[in-house]
Amino acid sequence: MGDVAMTVPVIRAFVEQNPNVKITFVSRPFFKPFFDGIPNVSFFAVDVKKRHKGFLGLLKLYSDLKKLNIDAVADLHNVLRSQIIRILFFLSGKKVAATDKGRAEKKALTRAENKIFQPVKSMVQRHVDTFNTLGFNVDLSNPKFPEKAVLSKEIIEILGEKQNFNWIGIAPFAQYESKVYPLDLMQKVIDELALNASNKIFLFGGGNKEIELLNQFSKNKENVINLAGKIPFQHELQLISNLDVMLSMDSGNAHIAAMLGVKVITLWGATHPFAGFAPFNQPLENCLTSDREQFPLLPTSVYGNKKVAGYEDVMRTIAVEKLIEKINSNLE
């Protein structure tokens, strides 16, 4: 989800700066709402479960896309499936380019020995480079974001009117445990924020286990609302666009909020913003990282999928008080 969200600011800038070019964005249907309202962008939904499943399905996908009279292909994913499609277009004489994921630089950043602790190029900039290779200029120095979404009546019935409330989103989960702030500390953060009657806190997550935990976070607090399973994804996007600040792990929710121009505070455990996945157009000081003096091997992973003995509790070095202060300073 985050990978797709990081392409949105690039696509938005591209169509504004290249108004005579039409983009067909090819992805899973779930991500179509990301691109709603962006001019000159049409969305092609890939049917990975039926028509476009497997290698024969990829050939059908190529055939379907070929009918659109595509002039060039920007492979922003650069995995086996997209590589096959890209090669087929290349063999048919079309201009192609692919995003360089910078695997060597990221490996140098995360390895235990001879670590090179310095920022690598962001994924957003890497996507810009891909379009540059195709001959298009994209400038992200002055990004534009969509207007705050008009909330539907259905959402207002659940959330209430915004009025003078601070709307704070909290997405406390991530794909890997090494990127999740300890739940007891997150409970303290939510409890502290809820003491301010001017704050209304919305919790994001999904799945039975996460819903159970979110219910615990919000228990007996009128101004803390667990959204998991209550509203469809498109309505979640409408809500996120109206937040004053989003608190997220190194996860997709951070990139969704960032693509909508919302202030984002991120927490980093085994991973680090230097790996190129910091939310777009957010100040680095909003990325709260675990203590490298105490845990010098950090970051130990690009995606959080690697476990290192003795590094299970690195996020406990991010103090609750510091996090509360950062949220409040972004609300001022």
Side-chain angles (χ1 to χ4, degrees), residues 109 146 151 280 315:
L109 174 67
L151 298 176
F280 174 67
M315 294 188 85

Side-chain angles (χ1 to χ4, degrees), residues 139-201:
D139 182 4
L140 292 178
S141 61
N142 186 28
K144 294 184 179 179
F145 299 98
E147 296 291 329
K148 293 183 181 297
V150 177
L151 298 176
S152 65
K153 292 181 180 179
E154 294 85 353
I155 297 181
I156 294 175
E157 287 178 0
I158 297 173
L159 312 181
E161 297 282 357
K162 185 170 186 181
Q163 298 175 333
N164 295 320
F165 286 105
N166 299 314
W167 277 17
I168 304 169
I170 298 181
F173 305 114
Q175 184 177 3
Y176 299 107
E177 189 176 345
S178 68
K179 301 198 293 184
V180 176
Y181 196 55
L183 299 182
D184 60 315
L185 300 186
M186 182 57 74
Q187 182 73 69
K188 291 180 179 179
V189 170
I190 293 170
D191 291 347
E192 182 69 23
L193 291 173
L195 291 176
N196 185 343
S198 297
N199 292 337
K200 186 171 282 191
I201 302 150

Side-chain angles (χ1 to χ4, degrees), residues 18 31 43 54 62 66 79 92 122 125 242 253 261-262 317 323:
N18 300 273
F31 298 115
F43 189 91
Y62 168 68
K66 193 175 180 181
V79 296
S92 70
S122 74
Q125 184 57 49
N242 282 273
N253 283 288
V262 174
T317 62
L323 180 48

Side-chain angles (χ1 to χ4, degrees), residues 33-54:
F34 284 7
F35 302 91
D36 288 349
I38 303 180
N40 288 345
V41 176
S42 60
F43 189 91
F44 185 97
V46 179
D47 184 3
V48 295
K49 294 183 178 180
K50 292 183 179 180
R51 178 168 176 79
H52 303 132
K53 182 179 180 180

Side-chain angles (χ1 to χ4, degrees), residues 269-283:
T271 60
H272 197 279
F274 278 12
F277 296 103
F280 174 67
N281 200 48
Q282 302 291 326

